[in-house]
Amino acid sequence: MASTPHPTRRKKTVVGAAALAAGAAVLGVFATAQAADATPTARHTAHAARTPYVINHYGEENADKGHAERSPKNLVLSEFTSIGSVHWKQWGTKKAVGTGKVTGSWCLDTCLDKPLKATVTLSDPKNVHGRQVFSSFTLKLAGKPGPYDVEDLHGKRPLATS
C-alpha cells in the first residue's frame, strides 16, 4: 500500500523546491551580470593591446633611448620641436590627437617663455620590436604660424620609433 505524504511535509517540499529554484535563478542572474561585466574589460584589454605607443625622448632619463608611452603630458616630436602640457582628445589604434604648447630651437627667442598653442596628430602606427608605435606626426599652430618657416610645421613628419 502506497503511503500518502503528510500535507505539511508536502507544503515544505514545495516551498523548499521553490526556494531552490529562486536561489538558482538569482545565481544565474548574478553569473550573467558577472559575464556581462567581464566582456567590456576583455574588449578594453584587447583594444589597449592594439593601441600604439609613442617613443618619447622627453627628460634626461629618456634623452638617449626614449621611452614608450601613451598619452604623455610632454613629448619630444623631433630634435628641433617639443610639445608640453598636452591634453589628448583622442588616443586610438590609428591616430592620436592632442593640444598643447610648442617650443623649439627655431623659436627660442620668442617661444621659450611664451610657448605657441598647437594641435599635434600622431599617426602611421608601425610594429617595432613587437610593439605598435606611432611613426609620424603633424603639427598645426593655432592662429597664424607667424615668421616660423620650419620643417616640423610643414605636413607630416617622421617620429622616432626607437
Side-chain angles (χ1 to χ4, degrees):
M1 173 153 79
S3 67
T4 312
H6 191 274
T8 306
R9 245 188 247 155
R10 189 167 190 222
K11 282 182 187 174
K12 285 181 183 176
T13 303
V14 170
V15 169
L20 283 173
V26 168
L27 286 175
V29 167
F30 181 71
T32 303
Q34 279 186 323
D37 286 346
T39 303
T41 302
R43 265 188 260 134
H44 175 73
T45 302
H47 177 73
R50 292 188 318 265
T51 304
Y53 292 87
V54 63
I55 302 301
N56 194 0
H57 291 268
Y58 183 82
E60 270 184 55
E61 68 278 8
N62 298 322
D64 292 335
K65 296 188 298 183
H67 180 71
E69 296 183 60
R70 288 187 179 122
S71 306
K73 191 72 173 167
N74 300 296
L75 177 62
V76 173
L77 296 169
S78 75
E79 62 185 298
F80 306 111
T81 307
S82 294
I83 187 166
S85 303
V86 184
H87 171 72
W88 295 99
K89 297 176 179 182
Q90 175 185 351
W91 195 280
T93 58
K94 300 287 181 196
K95 71 179 181 175
V97 179
T99 56
K101 298 179 179 182
V102 173
T103 61
S105 60
W106 42 270
C107 68
L108 286 180
D109 56 332
T110 57
C111 71
L112 186 59
D113 293 329
K114 190 175 179 183
L116 307 167
K117 293 179 183 176
T119 298
V120 63
T121 301
L122 309 180
S123 60
D124 303 326
K126 306 270 187 250
N127 190 327
V128 178
H129 306 298
R131 178 183 285 174
Q132 288 289 309
V133 295
F134 288 116
S135 67
S136 299
F137 76 91
T138 304
L139 190 60
K140 182 175 182 198
L141 295 181
K144 296 180 182 178
Y148 307 113
D149 185 23
V150 180
E151 283 186 34
D152 287 353
L153 299 177
H154 296 291
K156 193 181 286 189
R157 306 299 305 157
L159 190 60
T161 57
S162 61

